[in-house]
Amino acid sequence: MMLTRRAALLGLAGTATLGAARLSGDPDLVVVGAGSAGIAAARTAQAAGLRVIVLEAMDRIGGRAFTDTATFGSPFDVGCAWLHKADDNPYTAYARDNGFTLRAHEYDLERVWLGSAPSPAHLVNEAEDAMSEAISAAPEDVAASLVADVSTQVGEAAGDYLGALDMAVDLDELSTFDYANADDLAPNFLCAQGYGSIVAHRGRGLPVRLDTPVRRIRWDGPGAVVETDAGSIRARAVIITASTGVLASGAIRFTPDLPVPTQEAVADIPMGMLAKIPLQIRDQRFGLEPFTDVLLARRGRRDLYFLSFPFAGDLMVGFVGGDLGWELSAAGEAAAVDFATQGLVEMFGSDAARSVVKGALTPWASNPWTRGAYAAASPGRYGAREALARPVGDRIFFAGEALAGGLIQTCGGAYRSGEAAARAVRAVLA
Ligand SMILES: Cc1cc2nc3c(=O)[nH]c(=O)nc-3n(C[C@H](O)[C@H](O)[C@H](O)COP(=O)(O)OP(=O)(O)OC[C@H]3O[C@@H](n4cnc5c(N)ncnc54)[C@H](O)[C@@H]3O)c2cc1C
């Protein structure tokens, strides 16, 4: 009975109509997730002549790349914003070719407050450079906190900026090898229309079925059967791009279970947290030029970074990361907006609070289809990335930012990972 319903809905033995795409019979490949990696996997597989369907749990494509234009009346990147390693980023040329406006912007600190005292920003930048070298030189895969010097207030600020606000985990949860093997991400660009808009543009026209969470993948017979609430679909291979947080949650069941090394790898690359708290500011710029990078560094990992008024708009985009990011995400939007507003007051005086007309909190911690911001291998577990990259039974492949080599944690890296997974599928199916 259930099987009949599935067949009717998703074309197990018939024809599936998926938005613009129409597919007769079973596809070669099901891609789970229409974020950056899923879009790349689908494009690459299609270009190789494979028949593809993308199943996406959310009501939109893009995943953690999403530009919201409604909340503030101007583009706000809820997820990724910087095109990292822009000279080798698959989105850079695409954005330029399609009329998007890019602007170079590194995130070296320009204004720093240590506690409530303004302090020379270059001291924190230099301390971060030294810390970066020390972590990268660590001979063993241990927690970065064991090799980073955070004994001074400047060192602590540098550690919070490098750990929580960049890698999305505090230094005691940052693997030295994970950090050392990540590429230097310069040059970095921002996009006036939003990075999420570029990714959504890149995904246009693909055969994506929205609002279709994958619940189970059966790989006990030939190929794989992908089960959703709307029915099942059989394919020769599956590429899963869901985050490690989603995988660890058990939202996708596997029959039979995934091999133990794969399960362990998922557990060893948990999600970190970076939350944005954009504040809309009226009639006030606090003497800051557009794009100024500001750090309010407090003791006890309570740091708040602001990207000031990007593209001369009216947003001070606050960021918190690591444990503080999780904590404020759990506390909710009102508490987070209050926290960020208080940060402005500490730096610019009590009048600053009156200029905040609206605020928001990004929802990546509570979104069941992300369950975090981006993944960071646990100390001592750097090898898990390689373990997760291994295909299962020559038909289940993983892709996404967690498997992006030197470009881990990035949207461009996720794209490259999706491309690589699709090429691997093509090789196996051939
Ligand atoms: C706050 C924040 C700031 C960031 N800043 C930057 C930045 O400046 N620059 C940068 O390069 N990167 C940044 N990133 C990281 C970047 O956004 C991600 O690395 C990248 O977008 C991940 O792409 P992905 O395809 O691997 O995963 P996702 O974008 O998560 O795509 C996976 C998709 O799978 C879907 N899915 C999950 N489970 C299921 C299921 N069971 N069935 C069907 N579909 C499912 C999800 O809904 C999602 O759409 C940031 C991320 C966050 C959260």
Side-chain angles (χ1 to χ4, degrees):
M1 166 83 169
M2 201 47 202
L3 199 67
T4 317
R5 182 174 143 73
R6 287 172 183 154
L9 283 173
L10 273 180
L12 246 183
T15 298
T17 304
L18 302 160
R22 193 169 175 79
L23 200 77
S24 295
D26 297 339
D28 299 304
L29 173 66
V30 170
V31 176
V32 182
S36 183
I39 289 168
R43 285 215 169 282
T44 307
Q46 275 190 334
L50 297 180
R51 294 146 41 81
V52 185
I53 288 181
V54 186
L55 302 179
E56 168 55 53
M58 292 199 250
D59 61 0
R60 58 168 181 80
I61 65 169
R64 284 169 275 167
F66 173 51
T67 305
D68 170 9
T69 52
T71 304
F72 299 108
S74 60
F76 165 65
D77 270 318
V78 181
C80 54
W82 276 269
L83 281 77
H84 295 306
K85 210 158 183 179
D87 54 356
D88 187 29
N89 183 314
Y91 290 105
T92 307
Y94 183 82
R96 288 195 170 121
D97 291 348
N98 287 282
F100 291 92
T101 310
L102 301 181
R103 181 193 194 277
H105 181 71
E106 301 306 325
Y107 33 89
D108 292 334
L109 294 169
E110 293 162 284
R111 302 282 298 278
V112 167
W113 276 255
L114 293 180
S116 48
S119 304
H122 72 90
L123 295 180
V124 179
N125 289 328
E126 287 159 15
E128 192 197 0
D129 288 346
M131 192 175 287
S132 174
E133 276 180 35
I135 296 172
S136 300
E140 286 174 33
D141 185 13
V142 294
S145 54
L146 297 178
V147 293
D149 178 5
V150 294
S151 57
T152 63
Q153 203 173 356
V154 167
E156 193 177 335
D160 291 345
Y161 197 47
L162 181 152
L165 287 162
D166 183 1
M167 303 298 286
V169 285
D170 295 305
L171 292 180
D172 51 354
E173 290 172 30
L174 177 63
S175 142
T176 49
F177 279 14
D178 219 28
Y179 183 81
N181 286 293
D183 287 352
D184 178 351
L185 295 180
N188 291 287
F189 288 1
L190 289 166
C191 175
Q193 296 85 358
Y195 201 164
S197 305
I198 306 172
V199 175
H201 197 279
R202 192 76 185 104
R204 291 189 315 178
L206 286 173
V208 181
R209 174 127 179 177
L210 299 175
D211 295 310
T212 309
V214 169
R215 306 291 188 189
R216 180 180 295 275
I217 298 175
R218 308 190 70 95
W219 55 290
D220 46 358
V225 177
V226 180
E227 297 183 358
T228 77
D229 298 341
S232 302
I233 190 158
R234 180 180 293 281
R236 298 168 70 199
V238 182
I239 294 177
I240 302 173
T241 70
S243 73
T244 57
V246 172
L247 290 171
S249 77
I252 306 174
R253 307 259 167 215
F254 293 86
T255 305
D257 288 343
L258 288 172
V260 170
T262 308
Q263 293 183 38
E264 287 175 348
V266 168
D268 285 341
I269 320 173
M271 299 299 278
M273 177 44 59
L274 184 70
K276 299 189 194 180
I277 313 171
L279 301 178
Q280 192 163 34
I281 309 292
R282 183 180 47 201
D283 301 335
Q284 176 59 276
R285 291 298 176 263
F286 311 118
L288 299 169
E289 293 297 319
F291 298 101
T292 304
D293 297 284
V294 175
L295 181 69
L296 172 60
R298 303 192 188 93
R299 311 252 35 175
R301 299 176 175 175
R302 312 298 292 171
D303 298 38
L304 182 56
Y305 157 84
F306 283 101
L307 176 64
S308 313
F309 308 113
F311 296 98
D314 58 4
L315 294 183
M316 284 287 281
V317 185
F319 291 67
V320 288
D323 286 351
L324 177 61
W326 290 111
E327 178 192 316
L328 286 177
S329 295
E333 188 163 86
V337 169
D338 188 52
F339 180 88
T341 303
Q342 287 309 313
L344 288 187
V345 168
E346 278 177 46
M347 293 186 288
F348 304 113
S350 54
D351 279 357
R354 276 199 285 278
S355 24
V356 177
V357 290
K358 197 174 190 180
L361 169 70
T362 55
W364 303 111
S366 57
N367 185 328
W369 307 117
T370 57
R371 293 180 183 265
Y374 38 86
S378 299
R381 295 285 185 266
Y382 172 67
R385 295 202 187 259
E386 200 184 319
L388 184 60
R390 272 179 225 130
V392 172
D394 269 348
R395 64 199 105 150
I396 298 177
F397 297 74
F398 294 93
E401 54 91 5
L403 297 173
L407 290 176
I408 50 162
Q409 305 191 326
T410 73
C411 184
Y415 195 92
R416 294 269 188 249
S417 163
E419 288 179 319
R423 284 195 297 268
V425 166
R426 184 188 54 183
V428 165
L429 297 189

